[in-house]
Amino acid sequence: MTCDDAGVDMTAQPNLHPGAGPVRAPRGALRRPERGRWFAGVASGVAAHLGLPLPAVRVAFVVLTALGGVGVVLYAFWWLTVPVGDPWGAAAAARPSALSRIASRPTDAERPSRRWPVTDIAVGVLLVAVAGLLVALREDQLDAGWVLPVLVVLAGAALAWSQLDEVARGRLRSRAGGRTPSSVVRLLGGVVLAGVGVLLLVGQATGPGVDAATFAQSVVASIAVLAGVAVVVAPWWLRLWRALADERAARARESERADIAAHLHDSVLQTLALIRARADDPAEVARMARAQERELREWLYDDRPAPGTSLAAQLRDVVAEVEDSRSGPGGEPVAVEAVVVGDRVPDEATAALLQATREALVNAVVHGRPPVSLYLEVGSDEVEVFVKDRGDGFDVDAIGPDRFGVRESIMGRVRRRGGTAKVTSRPGQGTEVHLSMPFVAIPQVAVEQVAPEQDPSVAPQPAPGTVEEER
Amino acid sequence: MTQQVPAVPAVDVVLVDDHHLFRTGVRASLDDRVHVVGEAASVDEAVRVVRTLAPPVVLLDVHLPGGDGGGGAEVIRACADLTGTRFLALSVSDAAEDVVAVIRAGARGYVTKAIDGPALSDAVRRVADGDAVFSPRLAGFVLDAFGAAAGDVATGDDELDRLSAREREVMRLIARGYTYREVAAELFISIKTVETHVSAVLRKLQLSSRHELTRWAAARRLL
């Protein structure tokens, strides 16, 4: 399983992108989506894969077609080689399972995917047309005597099928796509084509004299035979091939199951045992339940970023640590409602900001009153944090500079890094701490810390530009 | 709070969640401003019950078994023609893709399952009155999706694809944990005005086809 580069690159998660603080936009895998397609879904698949606007890709195909038909050739090539599927789903499947969410994604039931095998039908119609043409060309030679051999061949094919016992037939049928109308039509069409081809070929070989035109006809006829056989056999070949892939996937699922079992054992089971042991201590039980709930929710419903690439993930860790280790004034656990908008690769400045945020959170939890709210916003040129509680509040100015622990641990930390810190508190309305940290002024030390192997002369990029890139 | 209700009749609600234990818990925690008239445990059952009862409000879990796998969003789409019925999404997941999918399908708001009884009853009443219910987290999703954090704001009122400066301000305050009342006080506007802004944002979230929103949603596979 590709755990690094390629695997992570296609995901919806933050990438380590040195110098570019904001998270890079995700890309889909190269698949032809069922939805939103006009023809075979090549354009929409390419657009999703390259992150380009769909109309631009469609225009590009048209323009390329005007240039000597390159567009049509490309389109046909991708049509044949790119499998049908959901680009984002395929990209997510490429994620290492340890980092993906467990719960299934909501599917869009509004627009059911197309069920008609258009490609098959088009190929089939083409082949039948060719066969019809060949027969028509030799119409003068056709008489009632031809009908009999055709029937004999068809009956023979049917007999061959009936020779298979019921079980084998069922298995073959299921491999060919089950007893669906399209698979039956495909089978019949293939058999008819093969039969017609054989008859034409035989009729030709035994016919009087051989000239160029009839030779060409027999070549075409034999191609029709091969095509007919291919139409009959291809689905089984594909099924066989997919069965192999499925087997591999099953093995991967098996190891995933082992992962899940190990995780459940390490977390949920242990917590439940602890809760039972501490059932007489409601505060402790509530805290453990809360911690477990948080962990399980993250595990089930979120894709986890690679470590060290996401400020949002670091903030969640800080929140978890505070929730687990601190209690309100009455010893009760306090839940923090954390909301994060945007994300970026952490650096030294955001580390200081996180430290200050942690101190503000601890203050809010220990001295304030729930609900405690935390809001972090990664803007175009700064990161802002708001920590709000519903305590009694206090008069900020009335607190002497010597006594105010908040002053050094929160405000000092942020200001030393070029940020600003403001505490707003009105008696009876709680306290709100507002921290903001610009990231234009970050020296390249920060970048080196993220990616030590980068050449310092190319690594730093101005943040506003990278924001444009992200959007 | 519960004593002052007689003037207003209770709001009829259908409760849709696949966990019996949870339905029982919600039923017990709702106060007498809300009356549970029906329950359902799957997509198909929910569509049937909601179509039969046509309640003013449906409390709808995001994750539901049955149907075509669309969960709560599928129920909302299947009942889209019931104009008198509004949906309030309940979710344990908090993940953007789950929540925004039901909102885009037409839910009037979203609350987490950790919400307490009185707050849930408030939310139901608010939805019944035609307002939108935004939790801090949903406000965060909106800011994220519209790229409002980068300061890209609408200048005209009827621009669907961007938030106006005021709407962005309201969303940020809600994300910071302010109640509607506190938002109103902070911005020196009335609560009704706050509700108007919130409803406008909900409409934009549901109808906008903004390029960034589409990409944001596609990255989380919402569309």
Side-chain angles (χ1 to χ4, degrees):
Chain A
M1 197 171 290
T2 53
C3 290
D4 37 31
D5 302 331
V8 177
D9 191 50
M10 293 182 159
T11 65
Q13 285 302 321
N15 276 297
L16 187 67
H17 195 46
V23 179
R24 214 168 71 183
R27 286 173 29 172
L30 188 54
R31 292 284 185 282
R32 294 189 287 116
E34 294 268 12
R35 288 192 310 244
R37 56 162 62 174
W38 279 359
F39 190 48
V42 171
S44 38
V46 170
H49 180 58
L50 298 180
L52 300 169
L54 180 53
V57 175
R58 283 183 173 143
V59 168
F61 269 116
V62 173
V63 169
L64 283 175
T65 303
L67 294 176
V70 181
V72 172
V73 173
L74 261 183
Y75 198 97
F77 176 71
W78 274 324
W79 186 0
L80 290 174
T81 53
V82 175
V84 175
D86 171 16
W88 309 108
R95 279 182 69 77
S97 64
L99 292 179
S100 310
R101 73 182 235 161
I102 307 283
S104 59
R105 314 259 173 193
T107 57
D108 188 352
E110 189 180 27
R111 288 161 293 185
S113 54
R114 225 181 27 167
R115 304 252 181 245
W116 280 98
V118 170
T119 321
D120 291 357
I121 291 174
V123 171
V125 165
L126 194 71
L127 287 173
V128 168
V130 168
L133 200 66
L134 283 171
V135 171
L137 277 178
R138 303 178 40 162
E139 206 178 1
D140 50 335
Q141 296 174 26
L142 291 184
D143 51 39
W146 272 84
V147 177
L148 194 63
V150 169
L151 286 180
V152 168
V153 169
L154 284 182
L159 194 67
W161 272 91
S162 69
Q163 290 292 312
L164 295 169
D165 66 290
E166 189 55 47
V167 179
R169 228 178 8 226
R171 199 167 58 226
L172 284 175
R173 252 204 314 264
S174 79
R175 287 215 185 129
R179 199 165 197 165
T180 59
S182 74
S183 78
V184 171
V185 166
R186 180 157 48 199
L187 205 60
L188 285 179
V191 167
V192 167
L193 280 171
V196 168
V198 166
L199 286 174
L200 284 175
L201 202 59
V202 169
Q204 200 59 53
T206 56
V210 175
D211 57 46
T214 50
F215 180 72
Q217 270 188 20
S218 34
V219 168
V220 171
S222 47
I223 289 174
V225 172
L226 290 178
V229 170
V231 167
V232 176
V233 171
W236 296 330
W237 173 252
L238 274 177
R239 296 287 144 173
L240 199 67
W241 191 65
R242 279 185 202 142
L244 278 172
D246 285 351
E247 211 166 298
R248 263 195 307 249
R251 271 204 297 280
R253 262 201 306 278
E254 201 54 43
S255 76
E256 220 164 276
R257 278 170 60 91
D259 262 6
I260 294 172
H263 184 93
L264 289 180
H265 175 265
D266 290 346
S267 60
V268 182
L269 202 55
Q270 306 281 1
T271 309
L272 285 175
L274 274 173
I275 284 178
R276 209 165 55 140
R278 307 285 298 271
D280 51 337
D281 184 351
E284 195 54 35
V285 166
R287 185 197 306 284
M288 285 189 291
R290 165 84 186 166
Q292 189 57 65
E293 179 199 332
R294 183 183 55 229
E295 191 187 315
L296 205 54
R297 171 181 300 161
E298 199 170 298
W299 209 61
L300 282 172
Y301 299 115
D302 290 332
D303 289 330
R304 290 167 290 287
T309 58
S310 164
L311 179 61
Q314 288 190 348
L315 183 81
R316 277 198 291 273
D317 292 344
V318 166
V319 170
E321 192 260 323
V322 171
E323 279 186 353
D324 291 350
S325 63
R326 304 296 167 133
S327 305
E332 77 284 356
V334 175
V336 177
E337 168 107 60
V339 176
V340 182
V341 172
D343 200 356
R344 78 191 305 267
V345 176
D347 53 35
E348 282 196 352
T350 58
L353 184 70
L354 275 185
Q355 278 291 329
T357 304
R358 184 188 173 277
E359 296 306 321
L361 263 185
V362 168
N363 259 308
V365 167
V366 175
H367 303 297
R369 198 175 298 147
V372 174
S373 304
L374 167 67
Y375 175 61
L376 180 140
E377 181 181 294
V378 181
S380 50
D381 49 8
E382 61 176 0
V383 183
E384 283 187 281
V385 172
F386 295 88
V387 177
K388 182 176 170 62
D389 71 59
R390 304 309 171 101
D392 300 325
F394 54 87
D395 188 353
V396 185
D397 298 328
I399 297 173
D402 50 327
R403 279 184 53 238
F404 197 19
V406 172
R407 193 141 278 169
E408 186 45 30
S409 62
I410 299 178
M411 303 176 130
R413 252 196 194 108
V414 175
R415 284 178 184 156
R416 269 199 300 280
R417 290 261 161 205
T420 59
K422 202 171 91 190
V423 178
T424 319
S425 185
R426 268 168 251 132
Q429 289 183 24
T431 308
E432 187 169 47
V433 179
H434 174 198
L435 310 170
S436 83
M437 181 73 81
F439 48 69
V440 218
I442 304 170
Q444 66 194 51
V445 195
V447 176
E448 279 171 11
Q449 191 220 2
V450 172
E453 76 283 2
Q454 280 290 315
D455 179 358
S457 63
V458 284
Q461 286 174 15
T466 58
V467 168
E468 286 307 309
E469 177 190 284
E470 181 207 26
R471 304 181 62 246
Chain B
M1 231 175 178
T2 35
Q3 278 76 25
Q4 63 196 23
V5 277
V8 203
V11 179
D12 287 346
V13 164
V14 165
L15 193 52
V16 182
D17 192 291
D18 52 329
H19 295 109
H20 182 252
L21 201 63
F22 180 79
R23 292 203 304 272
T24 316
V26 169
R27 205 189 252 275
S29 73
L30 289 168
D31 55 34
D32 50 10
R33 291 174 294 164
V34 177
H35 180 228
V36 178
V37 292
E39 292 184 11
S42 69
V43 171
D44 313 293
E45 196 185 346
V47 173
R48 207 172 54 242
V49 171
V50 171
R51 287 199 155 278
T52 317
L53 298 174
V57 178
V58 178
L59 269 175
L60 185 68
D61 188 11
V62 172
H63 297 273
L64 279 178
D68 294 327
E74 193 183 334
V75 177
I76 297 178
R77 284 195 209 97
C79 301
D81 52 324
L82 297 178
T83 45
T85 300
R86 299 191 174 92
F87 294 86
L88 176 58
L90 268 173
S91 169
V92 76
S93 113
D94 272 0
E97 51 197 295
D98 301 332
V99 173
V100 176
V102 278
I103 297 287
R104 294 270 294 186
R108 296 291 299 169
Y110 146 73
V111 291
T112 67
K113 281 185 174 179
I115 193 171
D116 60 5
L120 183 57
S121 306
D122 273 346
V124 169
R125 281 232 74 103
R126 192 170 283 153
V127 169
D129 291 343
D131 293 320
V133 175
F134 268 47
S135 66
R137 193 167 296 269
L138 182 53
F141 292 154
V142 169
L143 289 168
D144 208 357
F146 280 87
D152 185 11
V153 292
T155 43
D157 274 351
D158 44 357
E159 234 186 305
L160 260 186
D161 294 345
R162 282 184 283 183
L163 302 184
S164 72
R166 232 338 145 39
E167 286 160 359
R168 174 172 177 267
E169 208 45 54
V170 169
M171 281 299 116
R172 285 189 84 204
L173 287 170
I174 292 175
R176 279 157 63 181
Y178 284 60
T179 62
Y180 286 16
R181 187 181 304 279
E182 288 167 333
V183 172
E186 181 78 18
L187 299 178
F188 304 106
I189 52 181
S190 71
I191 295 189
K192 203 65 224 164
T193 312
V194 174
E195 282 167 350
T196 309
H197 284 310
V198 169
S199 292
V201 172
L202 182 83
R203 194 170 132 262
K204 288 183 180 179
L205 183 60
Q206 287 170 344
L207 299 181
S208 172
S209 57
R210 177 192 158 98
H211 177 55
E212 278 83 0
L213 176 63
T214 314
R215 259 181 90 163
W216 177 85
R220 289 158 176 79
R221 272 164 293 123
L222 307 178
L223 299 178

